[in-house]
Amino acid sequence: MAIDHSNPLSTTLLGKLDYDQLTNCMRCGFCLPACPTFRETGLEPESPRGRIALMKAVADGIMDPDQAFQDQMNHCLGCRACEPACPADVKYGQLIEQARDAIEDHADHSVPMTGIRKLFFKGILPHRRRLKWLGRSLAAYQKFGLRHMVRGSGMMRLFPKHLREMEKIIPDATGRGVVERLGAVYPAKGEMIARVALFRGCIMDVLFAETNVNTVKLLAEAGFELVIPKEQVCCGALHAHSGEMELARALARTNLAVFREAGIEYIVSNAGGCGAQLVDYDHLLHDDPKYSELAGWFASRVIDVSQLLVDHGRMPSFADSCANASEPVTITYQDSCHLRNGMKSSNAPRQLMKQVANVSFIEMKEADRCCGSAGIYNVTEPEMAGRILDHKMEHANSTKARYLLTSNPGCLLQMKLGVRKQGANSHMEVKHVVDFLFERIGDCSKTKA
Ligand code: SF4
Ligand code: SF4
């Protein structure tokens, strides 16, 4: 068949896709049962094998990159559950990012959508000061009765249902992140094992600043001195997943320069989504002659907080005394896909949770399957995200756990949404693993910020 690259998107795809990765796929289909969108629909184009075949067909010029093709690329959660299932080691996560990057180059968004994307990806996420301002504004909205006024006015009805639901589970925001609360250096307790840097995240430090604070204190208890470089920026994960690869690279270069100066042994992440992006900086910048070596240095030092504690820390004694619980407390865990499939860390958080006294850990069925959060997937693809979440909550409920723990802010919000949807019937509480562990370090006074 004649190769037709008359459509400019086909040419861009051919230029951006790693063609070797496309041809590495031997179409065995081992990845199909692992894929949430395939399991939901049973459709080949909604599977990793199907999407790879579509990418190749378009890159080869034998298929037009029409709207249906672009929709298929957007339906993918980017959860990378297909990667560990693949005997040919196809780097599917990289392929889908390359495909979305090419699509974005030719995207014809509406004027409002162009404005929203520009504001979010360029105007807010890369800028710490603007994020702090956003945190303060959101906190004012939440605290000073504005939220009640907005809800009472019926204004929320202008928004789609899934956004109205999400507004209800947004945690308390703050403009005072971890550096403002603890300073840029936090000493180890007792003999220092290593000096490590905290990657504080962008949204994480606005909506989950308490988890950042608890991460620092937990690691200090375990013998690490924490450095929190003030000039660090967003990891670029949301940019990379949304076809904004050049912006993701620019953010990566800033982080490389900042962390190189910090004199540290490890760069610690407490958010699976950020960690998987940071660990991928060497691939992201492998073509950059100035930064590729430094990117390799950086990526080799990135580690998740649970993995650092298990592999290198002086384990604190985790008791349940702070919770004043006389009965054993039951917990379960939802893997962060990017922590599991990107950072290859799934045992360490479980090992830590099982060390807490008076705690009974119950493995949830299909804990390794995506919850439907997937960056901003639950905003852009609410129907599929909702179906996946409903299945997840069935499994979570069947554990009858008091706490549902996870290791990524997006998963945490999605799980909260799932619990909220069940209304008063659910007494399950959703927490970050770090917060749960920190609350259970013997001396309860440490939990006071
Ligand atoms: S990344 Fe997730 S949703 Fe996308 S093809 Fe792979 S398993 Fe399926
Ligand atoms: S498991 Fe790997 S090689 Fe097999 S179809 Fe899926 S992506 Fe292709």
Side-chain angles (χ1 to χ4, degrees), residues 397-416:
N397 287 336
S398 67
T399 66
K400 298 194 169 36
R402 170 78 183 81
Y403 291 102
L404 171 52
L405 305 181
T406 186
S407 303
N408 186 55
C411 312
L412 199 145
L413 289 178
Q414 181 79 341
M415 298 287 88
K416 280 193 173 203

Side-chain angles (χ1 to χ4, degrees), residues 31 34-38 46-49 51 75-83 92-93 96 370:
C31 52
C35 174
T37 54
F38 178 74
E46 297 270 8
S47 75
R49 181 176 66 183
R51 291 191 178 106
H75 286 179
C76 171
L77 291 144
C79 66
R80 294 168 61 181
C82 41
E83 288 187 12
Y92 177 87
I96 193 71
C370 183

Side-chain angles (χ1 to χ4, degrees), residues 141-142 145-152 167-168 170 172:
Y141 166 76
Q142 292 169 327
L146 259 173
R147 173 156 56 183
H148 295 295
M149 266 173 59
V150 169
R151 286 179 185 169
E167 189 269 346
K168 292 177 188 154
I170 290 179
D172 288 345

Side-chain angles (χ1 to χ4, degrees), residues 25-31 49 52 86-88:
C25 175
M26 52 195 183
R27 305 188 172 214
C28 63
F30 286 173
C31 52
R49 181 176 66 183
I52 291 170
C86 176

Side-chain angles (χ1 to χ4, degrees), residues 313-376:
R314 200 165 45 235
M315 200 58 70
S317 122
F318 296 119
D320 205 29
S321 55
C322 301
N324 296 321
S326 51
E327 296 286 311
V329 88
T330 49
I331 61 173
T332 191
Y333 179 66
Q334 163 62 26
D335 282 284
S336 146
C337 298
H338 285 95
L339 181 59
R340 186 182 184 99
N341 304 321
M343 299 185 82
K344 316 281 184 235
S345 186
S346 56
N347 287 332
R350 287 175 168 80
Q351 231 174 296
L352 289 170
M353 288 181 274
K354 288 175 184 173
Q355 289 197 21
V356 181
N358 211 22
V359 155
S360 165
F361 179 84
I362 302 163
E363 192 66 68
M364 173 170 48
K365 193 178 166 201
E366 297 183 354
D368 59 341
R369 296 279 152 77
C370 183
C371 61
S373 166
I376 52 173

Side-chain angles (χ1 to χ4, degrees), residues 103-118:
I103 290 169
E104 198 48 42
D105 281 358
H106 299 273
D108 185 19
H109 295 304
S110 64
V111 174
M113 183 49 72
T114 304
I116 290 169
R117 285 184 68 97
K118 204 170 163 189

